[in-house]
């Protein structure tokens, strides 16, 4: 009888890892992932439309995250406008996106000029970049990126041949004044990838969690900097 019970228990035991993985996946999909994609944002901010959304009209994925910063929009703008690998950095985890070089801790006048169509290097090699797609001073900054996969090489979708495997999307910063003199900063992303069966799982498993980690760190560092603005010569 004990041997018979053991043999009957084996199939159930083999199903335990599958059941645990399924439960974890369901928990992530139904509860964790929606909160990662809308961290800090109100329902109106999540459902609202923003400049630059039209650049990716049918996204495979999107996120809307937000925070309140203790400085007016013009101060926050001065920090955002100097982003770029060879400019002020990205104010996130510098060891991940800036080769360990600290992001700027002061406003640098030479980096305050920015215009639509300008390229901002994303990495040291200059092989990938963001393009300024929408710009309204003190209000809207939308960066666009289009990359070949797996090369990570940027391309211009208007001029260059489209790689067979590619990802692209926008990273938009939208500033609105608050009644107490601060800034509500809403960050909207919208992205697509082709071929979708290849790029979508990668985005779900790695891209979205990585964006959450980097974006929340950027919010923290912008809050620190905007709250103690430093001017450079």
């Amino acid at each position: 009888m004990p041997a018979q019970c053991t043999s009957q228990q084996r199939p159930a035991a083999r199903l335990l890892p599958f059941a645990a993985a399924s439960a974890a996946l369901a928990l992530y999909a139904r509860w964790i992932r929606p909160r990662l994609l809308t961290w800090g944002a109100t329902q109106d901010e999540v459902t609202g439309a923003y400049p630059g959304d039209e650049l990716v009209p049918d996204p495979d994925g999107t996120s809307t995250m937000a925070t309140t910063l203790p400085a007016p929009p013009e101060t926050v703008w001065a920090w955002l406008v100097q982003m770029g690998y060879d400019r002020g950095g990205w104010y996130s985890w510098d060891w991940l996106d800036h080769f360990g070089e600290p992001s700027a801790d002061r406003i640098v006048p030479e980096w305050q000029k920015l215009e639509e169509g300008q390229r901002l290097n994303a990495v040291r090699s200059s092989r990938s970049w963001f393009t300024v797609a929408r710009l309204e001073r003190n209000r809207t900054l939308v960066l666009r990126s289009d990359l070949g996969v797996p090369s990570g090489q940027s391309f211009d979708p208007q001029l260059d041949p489209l790689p067979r495997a590619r990802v692209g999307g926008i990273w938009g910063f939208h500033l609105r004044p608050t009644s107490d003199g601060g800034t509500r900063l809403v960050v909207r992303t919208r992205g697509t990838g082709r071929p979708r069966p290849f790029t979508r799982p990668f985005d779900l498993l790695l891209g979205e969690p990585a964006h959450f980690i980097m974006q929340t760190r950027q919010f923290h560092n912008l809050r620190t900097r905007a709250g103690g603005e430093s001017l450079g010569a």
Side-chain angles (χ1 to χ4, degrees):
M1 180 65 75
Q4 183 179 1
C5 291
T6 300
S7 63
Q8 291 174 346
Q9 290 171 352
R10 284 173 183 168
R14 294 191 189 102
L15 289 175
L16 284 177
F18 176 77
S22 298
L25 183 61
L27 176 65
Y28 177 77
R30 292 177 59 86
W31 190 81
I32 299 176
R33 180 173 176 264
R35 285 159 177 78
L36 295 184
L37 298 179
T38 60
W39 189 90
T42 66
Q43 183 63 27
D44 286 344
E45 290 167 339
V46 170
T47 59
Y50 294 91
D53 286 356
E54 73 283 357
L55 298 174
V56 188
D58 186 23
D60 296 334
T62 183
S63 70
T64 306
M65 300 171 64
T67 191
T68 301
L69 302 177
E74 55 269 24
T75 297
V76 178
W77 178 263
W79 291 101
L80 292 177
V81 80
Q82 63 182 25
M83 289 190 300
Y85 179 82
D86 50 358
R87 292 159 60 89
W90 305 104
Y91 313 120
S92 188
W93 293 103
D94 293 322
W95 59 277
L96 286 174
D97 65 8
H98 208 219
F99 281 82
E101 292 291 329
S103 293
D105 59 1
R106 62 193 181 99
I107 301 300
V108 180
E110 307 93 270
W111 294 335
Q112 290 300 297
K113 182 180 179 181
L114 201 63
E115 57 188 23
E116 289 190 10
Q118 185 172 339
R119 290 181 178 179
L120 302 176
N121 287 331
V123 296
R124 177 185 292 172
S125 65
S126 303
R127 66 195 310 268
S128 61
W129 61 80
F130 290 97
T131 301
V132 180
R134 296 285 184 272
L135 185 149
E136 182 180 352
R137 184 176 177 84
N138 298 331
R139 188 171 177 85
T140 294
L141 174 62
V142 179
L143 306 180
R144 177 164 187 155
S145 174
D146 293 278
L147 300 170
V149 177
S151 68
Q153 173 70 53
S154 287
F155 65 93
D156 186 332
Q158 304 300 320
L159 301 175
D160 300 326
L162 297 181
R164 293 184 62 183
R166 59 190 184 275
V167 293
I170 60 165
W171 186 21
F173 299 81
H174 307 280
L175 295 74
R176 304 294 183 265
T178 62
S179 59
D180 60 356
T183 298
R184 188 66 175 165
L185 174 62
V186 180
V187 174
R188 165 71 55 84
T189 67
R190 290 164 70 87
T192 61
R194 296 295 181 271
R196 197 171 188 272
F198 170 69
T199 59
R200 189 57 181 150
F202 178 85
D203 188 42
L204 288 170
L205 295 174
L206 183 62
E208 290 178 353
H211 174 67
F212 172 81
I213 291 169
M214 302 303 285
Q215 189 60 64
T216 53
R217 180 64 177 179
Q218 187 191 63
F219 282 160
H220 169 80
N221 286 336
L222 283 173
R223 187 175 299 109
T224 300
R225 286 164 167 80
E229 181 183 7
S230 177
L231 295 175

